[in-house]
Amino acid sequence: MTDKYAVIGNPIAHSKSPQIHKMFRDQTGEDISYEAILAPPDGFASVVERLRKEGYKGCNVTVPFKFEASNIVSDISKESLDAFDAGHKADAVNTLVFRDEKIIGHNTDGIGLVRDITNNLHFEIAGKRVLLMGAGGAAYGVLHPLLDKQPKELVIANRTLEKAVQFKKTVEQTTQFLTTSISVSDYPALSGKQFDLIINATSSGLSGEMPPLPPGIFAPGALAYDMMYGRETPFMAFARAHGAAAVSDGLGMLVEQAAESFFIWRGVRPETRPVIAALQQQ
Ligand code: NDP
């Protein structure tokens, strides 16, 4: 029998996840279906409950429900917290597994980002100076996998500084052996600094804006990575004009996080490169 999966979000019509998982299905021969489901702003938990009752095996969670998803998991099954990995540490969950009476949560966004940067873009994070812009769900989700790669320095910059300060506290409370120096900054204070990797985890590109970065911020050989995909963002254009050696959008991350979800659900790891290439053609 076909195993059912879905992605829940609001809005959801734009999501490429159904297309990606269908490509994984065709490639691996796994007998699955995958659909996009729109949940009302206050209706996430009831949609999850419905899917569980209808026998779905799991789902992905996207904006704006990633934080709420972590509450659902702990509410429904405390035991499954033991099975929690980066998802719980990050308090933003994008993958749910429905197993018996339990809901197990994971966050595959960070693994997706790190795989795209290291495997697809061939950029080594260890020992590098990293600037992470943003302190929302996306930034939380990627933090621990990023730190696992042991950058030398991580600066978290956010328009609302208090959120970055809170973010740093959370990281320090949930990480045991920190080898990276972590600090927070507002944008003006970045003046005169240089980074090897700058990750835009803000939603500024959605409104055609970018965080106010000073010129000269890209160190020689720097990679500029925007988690947004589907269009050239102002941050990407700025990076090209101000000396970044490489510039990438977040399409590879999207496919890599989907592949990790697929692996968690099916135990089979799909090939990501042909899927990234197919999406880049569109
Ligand atoms: P949130 O709404 O949780 O957070 C938004 C963040 O962006 C906040 O830190 C906010 O700052 C900042 N921000 C918004 N507008 C501006 C601006 N004009 N200038 C500076 N900072 C700004 O969103 P998410 O964290 O969930 O998502 C962020 C982005 O990451 C989205 O574009 C999303 O599409 C992308 N993403 C991509 C994924 C992929 O697979 N490629 C996976 C997950 C996310 P403040 O706190 O001051 O409001």
Side-chain angles (χ1 to χ4, degrees):
M1 204 172 72
T2 304
D3 287 338
K4 292 184 285 187
Y5 298 90
V7 56
I8 307 173
N10 187 337
I12 199 65
H14 68 287
S15 174
K16 291 187 189 296
S17 293
Q19 201 188 347
I20 293 171
H21 282 278
K22 280 170 193 159
M23 287 194 242
F24 290 163
R25 176 197 64 192
D26 294 345
Q27 191 194 100
T28 60
E30 290 290 302
D31 188 8
I32 65 148
S33 66
Y34 189 106
E35 72 206 90
I37 297 179
L38 178 75
D42 59 354
F44 172 70
S46 45
V47 170
V48 171
E49 217 23 55
R50 174 174 72 76
L51 298 187
R52 248 159 54 83
K53 288 201 175 117
E54 290 178 6
Y56 282 67
K57 299 287 184 192
C59 65
N60 283 132
V61 181
T62 187
V63 177
F65 301 122
K66 289 185 189 180
F67 285 110
E68 200 181 333
S70 66
N71 295 333
I72 280 198
V73 173
S74 22
D75 283 346
I76 290 179
S77 167
K78 295 270 183 244
E79 279 170 81
S80 66
L81 289 177
D82 291 337
F84 248 37
D85 46 35
H88 184 59
K89 288 197 252 170
D91 273 334
V93 163
N94 78 337
T95 305
L96 299 180
V97 182
F98 305 149
R99 191 176 299 142
D100 305 323
E101 289 306 303
K102 293 180 188 162
I103 298 182
I104 301 161
H106 299 261
N107 189 319
T108 65
D109 281 338
I111 293 165
L113 172 77
V114 166
R115 288 223 176 102
D116 193 35
I117 290 176
T118 54
N119 298 358
N120 300 334
L121 301 170
H122 308 291
F123 184 91
E124 177 69 55
I125 297 170
K128 298 286 170 46
R129 295 162 293 177
V130 179
L131 172 62
L132 179 63
M133 301 191 289
Y140 267 78
V142 301
L143 199 83
H144 284 98
L146 254 184
L147 289 174
D148 286 346
K149 288 287 170 192
Q150 303 190 321
K152 179 171 148 208
E153 181 187 2
L154 177 74
V155 176
I156 304 165
N158 198 44
R159 184 175 58 181
T160 313
L161 193 61
E162 307 91 81
K163 280 206 223 164
V165 170
Q166 185 52 49
F167 189 12
K168 177 174 180 266
K169 267 193 206 150
T170 309
V171 180
E172 286 167 344
Q173 283 161 3
T174 54
T175 313
Q176 274 182 328
F177 303 108
L178 260 180
T179 54
T180 302
S181 131
I182 304 181
S183 57
V184 298
S185 178
D186 57 19
Y187 290 106
L190 294 173
S191 198
K193 296 202 168 133
Q194 283 205 319
F195 296 90
D196 307 297
L197 171 61
I198 301 186
I199 299 169
N200 186 13
T202 77
S203 51
S204 61
L206 287 174
S207 47
E209 294 169 4
M210 65 168 272
L213 286 178
I217 192 133
F218 295 98
L223 168 63
Y225 194 99
D226 201 319
M227 286 196 199
M228 263 197 67
Y229 50 84
R231 69 176 98 147
E232 171 93 354
T233 63
F235 167 65
M236 292 166 71
F238 176 87
R240 286 185 214 287
H242 290 86
V247 177
S248 177
D249 72 0
L251 187 69
M253 171 182 174
L254 180 76
V255 174
E256 295 291 348
Q257 64 77 28
E260 187 64 20
S261 296
F262 193 90
F263 178 70
I264 288 169
W265 291 327
R266 311 300 304 175
V268 177
R269 201 171 277 292
E271 288 259 351
T272 49
R273 279 174 204 214
V275 176
I276 295 172
L279 292 174
Q280 278 168 341
Q281 299 298 313
Q282 292 178 356

